[in-house]
Amino acid sequence: MDSLRLRFPRLFGPPSVPRLNAPLPVLSPLSTSIQLGLSKIEVASRLQRFFSEVRRNHLFIRGGIPNVHNQSAEHTVLEENIAPMLEIDPPFKSSPGKAFPLGASVVEDGVNFAIFSQNATSVTLCLSVHGSVHNEEVRNGMIEVKLDAQVNKTGDIWHVCVEGLPDSGVLYGYHVDGPREWDKGHRFDSSVVLLDPYAKLVVGRKFFGDATDKVSQFLGTFDFCSLPFDWGPDYKLPNIPETDLVIYEMSLRSFTADESSGLDSSICGSYLGVIEKIPHLVELGINAVELLPVFEFDELEFKRFPNPRDHMINTWGYSTMNFFAPMSRYASAASGALGASQEFKQMVKALHNAGIEVILDVVYNHTNEADDEHPYTTSFRGIDNKVYYMMNFDNKAELLNFAGCGNTLNCNHPVVMELVLDSLRHWVKEYHVDGFRFDLASVLCRGTDGAPLNAPPLIKAIAKDPALSRCKIIAEPWDCAGLYLVGSFPNWDRWAEWNGKYRDDIRRFIKGDPGMKGTFATRISGSADLYQVNKRKPYHSINFVIAHDGFSLYDLVSYNNKHNEANGEKGRDGCNDNFSWNCGFEGETDDVNINSLRARQMKNFHVALMISQGTPMMLMGDEYGHTRYGNNNSYGHDTFLNHFQWKQLEAKKGSHFRFFSEMIKFRHNHPILRRDRFLGKNDVTWHEDNWGNPESKFLAFTLRDDKFGNDIYLAFNAHDYFVKAAMPAPPHKKQWHRVGRCTIL
């Protein structure tokens, strides 16, 4: 076993220090607030023992001991060696370790650390073994383990095994150095302690949005001593068929962060907070939650330097820092990284026991590390920028930006692709999640040079991976550089898609745009024009009218224009094509007729969504009519703009909420609304002879149930006047019963 190498650049001058026969004490660069809590007396004691060891082994240190005494700072420390010698713990020892698995793993001899970097010339493991996670202590001193490329490197993987480390509570990161050739894609900075891309747990600041700790250091940690999580003897995965899904998109924090939730402040905005509100989800009738990003991210990233957005907090989470660790500040009562892991599992278990699946919104298209103008180096950029990010080598290796956030993950590079797959498998195996929605998934269809690929390796690998075979996989089939793949996303008959055309066409018809009737009929029938290819099914169309970005449902019927001034970008951000209608007045009004019309329009949208073939998805808060007051890009507001308002829900329980809940249950109770095949000529009768008239805004049809005779007649009237329509004859020995009405007038 080799002892850990000392790093005393100020004591010994040149870095070449002969190795001692006996283990040396392990010290970081000298500091009176060193992480291990060494006092000046203890430092002096260790130094004295060190020099005794040098003399005993007849080793020569270049520059000689007198040169050490010539340095005033160290001389001050050495003068204190008159103090009594203190007993200290034996130093940690190291061995070469092994290349796999990546990350930190427990082995027979200790803890193995392995990290990939193809272009690094130097890698140093940084360790903090003190129980405290106070970030000042972390920055002021860590044990450093210099890796030898001749001993601690296999291929492009650097590795070392450290003996004697605690099984939990250790913080770790890396110093990585390499070529300083910017135009060749390198962004190495050996002064930064970098987060391990494969860290399974991440320690950062304790409290969400704590601006007093905005420059917090993020480090990896591990726990090898806790018992496996108890999923329970009767626990089982819901395994809901895709035909039966009703998805509820929600922000985990915003769901219970508001004081109106009535929860104890220690669990507001947390994983445990969601558990407390599961009865609401059951009452609403949804059976899957799609959680906005819950991977570790830095919510205070806008506050790193003065900018128009520095008043905001990233509350949506689309700025991933690590792909394996659950967001630590979503844990209750500042219980940290380990608490986040345990409580996330508790949440999944509780949701599963209630028959609700968990789908994660995942961001593999970019990271938090921003662009080259305002870089935020925390991990990938400093470990191997040239591998992890797409770059334009024809223009000084500038970062390509297909995600609109400053960088683009090089996701079809073999190493990065394996990172993504390992991350997905981890969330399925460790946390039992049921599926993933891939943010800006068209980015994942680009090659390492940014060019679109016909058969992207990563997309195929996700579809074919055995560990992911039970998962729902959903693409947001566009990116910020114009690669729009709705209906043509490479799918291997498995990938579902957010159907952006459904959203736009449903909005346009119901608000009364001319010429939309035929398109509306196509969309509610399952968008066969987009998805009836090969073995694709109607449920591969994720139908939605509202999502987290864009107007809420209430705002869709209350605003003609976005009102994003609070975002600090003078209203330039956010989508301009909302296809909204304010029903006659912009924003809030006391006009009873306008408010009544808005209420009916929201119901019209919800009915269309719930009777459409395909998989419906609704947004958190639309069940009571949540408003963001016209802000269609509220990603940076950890306030009432995004927080679920539980008192408003109670006020709407008997009206708006009841309608939404009953409509969802109506869908569950009628299989002909959720077929696993596209409609044929015997499945639907269109009561129409006016298809070619662009001014026709009335549509009526009957869905046929040949098995049980439970036909459903539906009619939509988007005119601003009543339309008389003759009802068709009911099935044999049946009669029609009106379920509901929510006309525009």
Side-chain angles (χ1 to χ4, degrees):
M1 301 286 283
D2 295 329
S3 62
L4 305 188
R5 296 186 178 185
L6 284 172
R7 297 191 68 195
F8 283 148
R10 294 173 60 199
L11 282 174
F12 302 133
S16 178
V17 179
R19 184 174 297 180
L20 302 181
N21 294 333
L24 300 182
V26 181
L27 297 175
S28 65
L30 290 176
S31 170
T32 56
S33 57
I34 195 167
Q35 178 66 25
L36 288 177
L38 299 180
S39 68
K40 289 184 178 180
I41 294 176
E42 291 171 315
V43 171
S45 175
R46 287 194 173 193
L47 286 170
Q48 188 178 60
R49 292 169 64 182
F50 168 76
F51 291 125
S52 298
E53 194 68 31
V54 170
R55 297 186 187 98
R56 190 162 53 248
N57 287 278
H58 306 290
L59 293 177
F60 175 73
I61 298 177
R62 191 181 308 177
I65 293 177
N67 288 342
V68 174
H69 292 276
N70 289 336
Q71 300 192 34
S72 59
E74 283 68 31
H75 182 69
T76 302
V77 174
L78 292 174
E79 284 181 344
E80 295 193 38
N81 65 9
I82 59 173
M85 299 288 285
L86 300 179
E87 291 295 323
I88 57 174
D89 294 331
F92 299 115
K93 296 181 180 180
S94 71
S95 60
K98 57 182 182 178
F100 294 99
L102 292 172
S105 58
V106 64
V107 293
E108 182 179 355
D109 296 331
V111 177
N112 190 79
F113 298 88
I115 185 171
F116 167 90
S117 183
Q118 183 179 67
N119 294 292
T121 58
S122 170
V123 174
T124 301
L125 173 66
C126 304
L127 296 168
S128 168
V129 297
H130 194 277
S132 170
V133 295
H134 190 281
N135 291 297
E136 286 297 324
E137 295 174 352
V138 170
R139 285 193 296 273
N140 284 341
M142 298 184 77
I143 298 171
E144 295 190 330
V145 187
K146 177 76 172 179
L147 275 60
D148 185 338
Q150 302 302 314
V151 176
N152 302 103
K153 188 180 180 188
T154 303
D156 294 326
I157 299 177
W158 301 72
H159 47 81
V160 66
C161 178
V162 181
E163 181 182 345
L165 287 176
D167 290 335
S168 65
V170 175
L171 308 183
Y172 77 98
Y174 292 91
H175 285 305
V176 181
D177 204 358
R180 303 304 171 96
E181 300 168 311
W182 185 284
D183 59 342
K184 293 184 179 179
H186 301 304
R187 304 292 188 268
F188 291 104
D189 183 351
S190 60
S191 69
V192 180
V193 180
L194 300 168
L195 176 62
D196 179 6
Y198 273 81
K200 303 306 187 295
L201 300 172
V202 174
V203 171
R205 69 180 61 87
K206 291 184 178 180
F207 300 100
F208 188 91
D210 181 7
T212 65
D213 195 14
K214 62 184 179 181
V215 292
S216 178
Q217 174 77 59
F218 291 87
L219 295 168
T221 189
F222 49 78
D223 174 53
F224 299 131
C225 60
S226 294
L227 294 174
F229 181 78
D230 182 10
W231 292 95
D234 300 323
Y235 168 82
K236 62 180 180 179
L237 299 168
N239 287 324
I240 298 171
E242 288 176 287
T243 52
D244 298 343
L245 281 183
V246 177
I247 300 173
Y248 184 81
E249 192 194 27
M250 60 179 284
S251 162
L252 188 146
R253 172 169 169 79
S254 294
F255 191 48
T256 62
D258 195 83
E259 63 178 10
S260 66
S261 67
L263 302 180
D264 186 89
S265 60
S266 64
I267 65 171
C268 284
S270 73
Y271 304 114
L272 298 186
V274 172
I275 295 176
E276 294 297 315
K277 295 299 184 179
I278 288 177
H280 165 70
L281 301 176
V282 172
E283 184 181 6
L284 179 60
I286 58 91
N287 56 18
V289 293
E290 184 175 300
L291 302 178
L292 267 60
V294 294
F295 294 1
E296 186 71 34
F297 67 94
D298 182 3
E299 73 277 15
L300 298 184
E301 61 180 352
F302 306 139
K303 298 182 180 297
R304 288 181 285 112
F305 58 89
N307 67 90
R309 302 186 297 168
D310 59 14
H311 61 292
M312 295 199 294
I313 292 174
N314 186 342
T315 190
W316 284 357
Y318 289 90
S319 192
T320 307
M321 179 176 291
N322 173 277
F323 297 117
F324 292 86
M327 178 63 170
S328 60
R329 289 169 300 290
Y330 285 171
S332 65
S335 53
L338 181 55
S341 177
Q342 293 295 311
E343 292 176 12
F344 188 95
K345 293 173 185 176
Q346 292 177 43
M347 178 191 69
V348 172
K349 177 181 177 180
L351 286 165
H352 282 178
N353 287 340
I356 298 173
E357 291 196 336
V358 178
I359 299 171
L360 302 186
D361 191 337
V362 291
V363 188
Y364 294 110
N365 56 77
H366 75 283
T367 76
N368 67 295
E369 293 191 303
D371 54 20
D372 282 332
E373 183 178 1
H374 298 291
Y376 183 27
T377 302
T378 58
S379 183
F380 311 96
R381 177 186 175 93
I383 292 170
D384 207 329
N385 184 79
K386 190 174 182 178
V387 168
Y388 282 111
Y389 294 113
M390 296 183 191
M391 284 170 287
N392 181 3
F393 289 100
D394 293 330
N395 187 19
K396 299 180 180 179
E398 69 171 354
L399 292 170
L400 294 174
N401 185 18
F402 299 118
C405 297
N407 63 67
T408 307
L409 201 67
N410 196 12
C411 45
N412 280 301
H413 184 287
V415 170
V416 185
M417 182 173 76
E418 196 60 30
L419 169 75
V420 173
L421 290 168
D422 285 343
S423 165
L424 295 170
R425 296 171 189 137
H426 177 70
W427 286 96
V428 171
K429 295 177 180 178
E430 182 73 14
Y431 293 102
H432 292 197
V433 303
D434 305 284
F436 304 92
R437 177 266 188 189
F438 293 79
D439 180 64
L440 298 181
S442 289
V443 168
L444 281 59
C445 298
R446 295 182 181 272
T448 56
D449 61 353
L453 303 172
N454 291 326
L458 176 58
I459 299 300
K460 179 179 180 180
I462 292 171
K464 301 294 185 179
D465 192 278
L468 308 178
S469 60
R470 71 169 181 85
C471 293
K472 281 77 176 177
I473 50 176
I474 304 168
E476 183 183 34
W478 52 80
D479 64 20
C480 293
L483 189 56
Y484 190 79
L485 298 176
V486 173
S488 59
F489 190 85
N491 56 79
W492 285 271
D493 298 326
R494 275 210 62 202
W495 282 83
E497 300 175 19
W498 266 27
N499 190 344
K501 292 184 178 180
Y502 177 96
R503 173 198 59 204
D504 296 344
D505 293 340
I506 299 300
R507 288 184 178 191
R508 294 185 64 191
F509 174 80
I510 289 183
K511 84 183 184 70
D513 283 0
M516 294 302 300
K517 183 171 70 172
T519 305
F520 177 76
T522 299
R523 296 293 161 252
I524 62 177
S525 298
S527 295
D529 61 326
L530 301 175
Y531 300 109
Q532 196 171 8
V533 180
N534 299 329
K535 296 180 181 180
R536 303 197 84 182
K537 305 294 184 182
Y539 54 71
H540 286 128
S541 173
I542 305 299
N543 300 329
F544 67 103
V545 178
I546 303 297
H548 64 276
D549 50 354
F551 282 144
S552 68
L553 184 58
Y554 177 88
D555 290 357
L556 184 67
V557 301
S558 304
Y559 294 90
N560 285 349
N561 304 300
K562 65 183 182 183
H563 296 268
N564 294 0
E565 293 75 17
N567 297 354
E569 299 184 47
K570 299 181 179 179
R572 292 189 295 265
D573 64 311
C575 182
N576 294 317
D577 301 321
N578 296 293
F579 303 117
S580 60
W581 176 45
N582 64 17
C583 295
F585 186 86
E586 187 75 356
E588 296 300 304
T589 178
D590 294 329
D591 189 299
V592 174
N593 292 326
I594 291 178
N595 287 331
S596 178
L597 176 56
R598 289 174 176 175
R600 294 197 299 275
Q601 280 289 75
M602 285 189 282
K603 292 177 181 178
N604 283 326
F605 280 116
H606 190 60
V607 168
L609 180 64
M610 290 302 154
I611 61 88
S612 295
Q613 302 297 323
T615 302
M617 183 189 79
M618 64 173 293
L619 176 66
M620 174 189 87
D622 283 348
E623 68 266 37
Y624 66 82
H626 182 84
T627 180
R628 297 172 181 153
Y629 300 97
N631 192 322
N632 74 349
N633 193 29
S634 62
Y635 65 96
H637 298 282
D638 188 36
T639 67
F640 62 90
L641 285 181
N642 285 306
H643 294 173
F644 195 101
Q645 300 297 305
W646 292 92
K647 289 183 179 178
Q648 291 185 31
L649 170 68
E650 288 302 315
K652 298 291 184 65
K653 266 298 184 70
S655 53
H656 185 99
F657 173 82
R658 180 179 177 275
F659 183 93
F660 272 55
S661 175
E662 291 299 319
M663 197 63 226
I664 293 171
K665 292 166 186 174
F666 182 81
R667 178 182 178 85
H668 287 315
N669 292 331
H670 292 81
I672 62 172
L673 297 177
R674 39 190 176 84
R675 299 175 187 266
D676 62 358
R677 57 182 174 81
F678 289 94
L679 296 177
K681 63 180 181 179
N682 296 324
D683 299 321
V684 60
T685 299
W686 301 100
H687 307 296
E688 277 298 328
D689 56 6
N690 205 13
W691 290 107
N693 180 3
E695 297 304 317
S696 177
K697 303 174 185 178
F698 178 84
L699 179 69
F701 59 99
T702 300
L703 292 173
R704 301 292 185 189
D705 181 3
D706 293 336
K707 186 174 183 180
F708 299 108
N710 294 324
D711 293 3
I712 300 177
Y713 172 85
L714 300 111
F716 290 87
N717 178 24
H719 288 291
D720 57 0
Y721 52 82
F722 286 107
V723 172
K724 290 185 178 181
M727 291 285 292
H732 183 61
K733 295 184 179 180
K734 298 279 186 176
Q735 60 181 351
W736 294 115
H737 296 273
R738 192 177 77 179
V739 176
R741 182 177 67 181
C742 47
T743 56
I744 292 179
L745 290 177

